[in-house]
């Protein structure tokens, strides 16, 4: 990858958090700055998006802020969902349903505890060809339950093994619903990538930009690198970079999991909120991470613009059955003179979000 200038189809970002209210008004206009024209919108608002009406009205709030962007909407998996709601959601053009295991991440209080109790919903989703989006982490073991899990011969769960210990749940759902399209979101481990490869073609995975850049050591002590699932080992990071470039038979594609939090929720006396903000430099950060991986010898110099475009755009569009991006506008990236902003502020200056890799050099992106 020796090129100074690359032209690509616009990026499709299959995992974004746009929030609501003032934060949404600030974040949505940054989507195109990151070279993105299609986004898959997460439903973990407060309260979560659990009805067709709520998803439609959320879309009506987002769309005017970025008229050129295609938004794909999701529902939040919770006990109030029924197979009838799934039928209505499919007829209304809602693309998928996101599962948050209860308590593992930002706004997951109303999430799932027992997956089998949702099998009638998965059945309805499979029938309607909707996509199931899994936040793939097992909840951490409370210290008071340690002796019971030790006696049962089970590993205690912490953020370090939470993704690996979720994988049997992925296989269970996939085996029960082999035609249900499932995305294991924001994979952080080689184990997760291997598990997805072992599943049939209905199972795919997203990879974020920030997990291509960092390991767990970078998370310790830096709230702006803290997200769920947390970044893991160097071996895992290298496996993610290779998977992004190699593609895993079309299974691995981009989903930034850009998750803005006000700086006040990231710093201060309370525990930091989980989430890295990458939206405004989404494509640039991926290209930068691949460039760095080439420089370090993790992947060969032969990375082509076509393989970048496959990761950033083509594979995800295909899995989601969207039209190929053949004739529209292009994005151009040049290796010169751009920096990740130090901070994003809203018009009134009362919300500040600190981007991932704030102040660092990055690629310059222009729309053609
Ligand atoms: N990734 C994160 O760390 N946070 C996300 C939720 C999520 O996807 O886990 C958020 O909404 O802030």
């Amino acid at each position: 990858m020796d090129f100074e200038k690359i032209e690509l189809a616009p990026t499709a970002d299959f995992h974004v958090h746009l929030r609501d209210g003032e934060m949404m008004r600030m974040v949505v206009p940054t989507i195109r700055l990151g070279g993105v024209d299609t986004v898959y919108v997460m439903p973990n608002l407060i309260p979560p998006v659990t009805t067709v009406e709520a998803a439609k009205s959320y879309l009506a709030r987002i769309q005017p802020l970025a008229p050129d962007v295609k938004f794909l909407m999701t529902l939040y998996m919770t006990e109030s969902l029924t197979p009838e709601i799934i039928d209505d959601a499919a007829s209304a053009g809602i693309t998928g349903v996101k599962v948050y295991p209860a308590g593992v991440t930002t706004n997951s209080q109303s999430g799932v505890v027992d997956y089998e109790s949702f099998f009638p919903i998965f059945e309805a989703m499979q029938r309607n060809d909707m996509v199931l989006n899994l936040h793939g982490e097992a909840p951490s073991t409370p210290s008071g339950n340690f002796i019971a899990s030790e006696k049962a011969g089970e590993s205690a769960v912490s953020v370090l093994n939470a993704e690996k210990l979720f994988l049997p749940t992925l296989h269970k759902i996939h085996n029960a619903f082999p035609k249900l399209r499932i995305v294991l979101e924001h994979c952080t481990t080689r184990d997760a990538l291997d598990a997805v490869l072992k599943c049939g073609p209905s199972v795919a995975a997203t990879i974020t930009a920030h997990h291509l850049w960092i390991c767990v050591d970078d998370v310790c002590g830096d709230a702006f690198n803290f997200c769920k699932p947390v970044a893991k080992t160097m071996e895992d990071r290298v496996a993610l970079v290779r998977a992004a470039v190699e593609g895993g038979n079309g299974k691995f594609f981009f989903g930034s999991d850009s998750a803005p939090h006000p700086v006040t929720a990231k710093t201060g006396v309370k525990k930091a909120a989980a989430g890295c903000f990458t939206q405004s430099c989404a494509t640039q950060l991926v290209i930068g991470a691949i460039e760095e991986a080439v420089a370090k010898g993790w992947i060969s110099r032969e990375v082509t613009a076509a393989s970048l475009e496959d990761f950033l755009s083509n594979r995800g569009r295909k899995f989601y059955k969207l039209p190929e991006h053949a004739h529209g506008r292009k994005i151009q990236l040049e290796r010169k003179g751009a920096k990740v902003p130090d901070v994003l502020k809203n018009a009134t200056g009362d919300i500040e979000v600190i981007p991932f890799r704030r102040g660092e050099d990055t690629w310059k992106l222009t729309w053609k």
Side-chain angles (χ1 to χ4, degrees), residues 2 9 15 46 82 101 138 140 145 170 226 242 277 280 282 300 304 331:
D2 292 322
H15 187 130
I46 307 173
T82 60
S140 290
N145 294 3
L170 167 69
F226 171 55
R242 290 181 179 153
F277 178 72
S280 63
S300 92
T304 59
I331 51 173

Side-chain angles (χ1 to χ4, degrees), residues 138-196:
S140 290
T141 305
S143 54
N145 294 3
F146 178 73
I147 296 299
S149 57
E150 190 182 44
K151 278 193 182 140
E154 290 165 359
S155 309
V157 186
S158 71
V159 294
L160 295 176
N161 61 5
E163 186 173 82
K164 185 183 167 85
L165 294 177
F166 177 82
L167 297 173
T169 305
L170 167 69
H171 289 300
K172 193 173 184 178
I173 301 172
H174 176 51
N175 290 340
F177 303 99
K179 294 210 173 99
L180 175 62
R181 281 182 293 150
I182 300 177
V183 182
L184 186 64
E185 300 291 340
H186 40 49
C187 285
T188 58
T189 56
R190 189 155 58 184
D191 290 321
L193 298 169
D194 287 346
V196 167

Side-chain angles (χ1 to χ4, degrees), residues 15-19 42 44-45 98 100 104-108 135 137 185-186 208 210-211 226-230 256-261 266 273-276:
H15 187 130
V16 302
H17 297 274
L18 298 174
R19 314 300 191 208
M42 290 295 127
N44 61 332
L45 304 182
K98 174 74 189 287
Y100 290 95
V104 303
T105 187
T106 305
N107 303 343
S108 61
H135 181 117
E137 288 191 290
E185 300 291 340
H186 40 49
T208 73
H210 50 280
H211 290 124
F226 171 55
C227 66
K228 293 300 300 294
V230 294
S256 70
D257 188 22
S258 172
H261 289 277
K266 281 295 220 176
C276 297

Side-chain angles (χ1 to χ4, degrees), residues 266-286:
K266 281 295 220 176
T267 53
V269 290
K270 287 199 184 145
K271 280 179 97 170
C276 297
F277 178 72
T278 50
Q279 201 73 65
S280 63
C281 292
T283 306
Q284 300 90 314
L285 285 165
V286 171

Side-chain angles (χ1 to χ4, degrees), residues 91-143:
S91 314
I94 293 171
T95 308
V97 184
K98 174 74 189 287
V99 171
Y100 290 95
V104 303
T105 187
T106 305
N107 303 343
S108 61
Q109 300 84 331
S110 328
V112 167
V113 177
D114 169 19
Y115 287 81
E116 282 191 34
S117 67
F118 287 89
F119 274 23
I121 306 293
F122 300 158
E123 168 70 42
M125 290 177 66
Q126 180 172 254
R127 179 162 36 78
N128 283 290
D129 197 23
M130 286 180 83
V131 176
L132 178 67
N133 305 96
L134 295 176
H135 181 117
E137 288 191 290
S140 290
T141 305
S143 54

